[in-house]
Amino acid sequence: MDNFMLEAIFEAKKSLEEGGIPIGSVLVKDNQIVGRGHNRRVQKGSAILHAEMDALESVGRQPASFYEDVIIYTTLSPCSMCTGAILLYKIRHVVVGENKTFLGDEALLQERGVKVEVLDDETCFQLMQDFILKNRSLWSEDIGTSLTS
């Protein structure tokens, strides 16, 4: 498996250990990790701190040109909010661990010229499945749905 996805999985497991949702992300530029993060909505009481947002935040303020050759790795398909951030910063390549648990806005990314690569990784899938079985209401909250919808 790609070492960068392994690092994103490490971040996902870190979130789970902290009592959060097991989703992780890393930003790669020039074959080096320049940012990393994990879903910290629970840990920080945040409405928006998904893994991709946390990874972007960890990079700090950068000029737009910084993101031109960044690849974002995420253990789960990016939601609408994270897709918007990817498009805003013109990140051109997204590597997704799995999209069976949740299919985000991959089609929109592709329509806008972003390369979306789905690894269909069993570790990413199993992390989410195990979590959802034990935390259905928290998962629903994270993806912006109610349990009745």
Side-chain angles (χ1 to χ4, degrees), residues 21 39-50 141-142:
I21 299 167
N39 187 304
R40 295 195 304 160
R41 288 185 65 252
V42 173
Q43 300 91 311
K44 296 286 187 177
S46 171
I48 63 168
L49 210 47
H50 283 186
E141 174 190 321
D142 195 63

Side-chain angles (χ1 to χ4, degrees), residues 88-103:
L88 176 69
Y89 290 108
K90 297 179 178 54
I91 295 172
R92 298 178 183 157
H93 189 175
V94 179
V95 180
V96 176
E98 68 103 349
N99 63 2
K100 292 178 188 171
T101 300
F102 176 79
L103 179 58

Side-chain angles (χ1 to χ4, degrees), residues 1-17 21-26 33 36-39 51 73-76 95-98 119-128:
M1 176 192 296
D2 185 300
N3 286 333
F4 298 127
M5 185 53 70
L6 285 174
E7 289 297 317
I9 291 169
F10 171 81
E11 289 293 326
K13 289 178 177 178
K14 188 174 177 182
S15 182
L16 187 60
E17 289 169 7
I21 299 167
I23 305 168
S25 182
V26 296
I33 293 175
R36 58 176 55 240
H38 51 273
N39 187 304
Y73 287 74
T74 179
T75 59
L76 187 65
V95 180
V96 176
E98 68 103 349
L119 302 180
D120 197 23
D121 180 76
E122 184 61 30
T123 301
C124 295
F125 178 73
Q126 203 57 56
L127 269 170
M128 290 308 304

Side-chain angles (χ1 to χ4, degrees), residues 125-142:
F125 178 73
Q126 203 57 56
L127 269 170
M128 290 308 304
Q129 293 307 297
D130 293 345
F131 177 81
I132 292 168
L133 281 173
K134 297 174 188 169
N135 303 281
R136 188 163 178 245
S137 63
L138 182 55
W139 170 241
S140 293
E141 174 190 321
D142 195 63

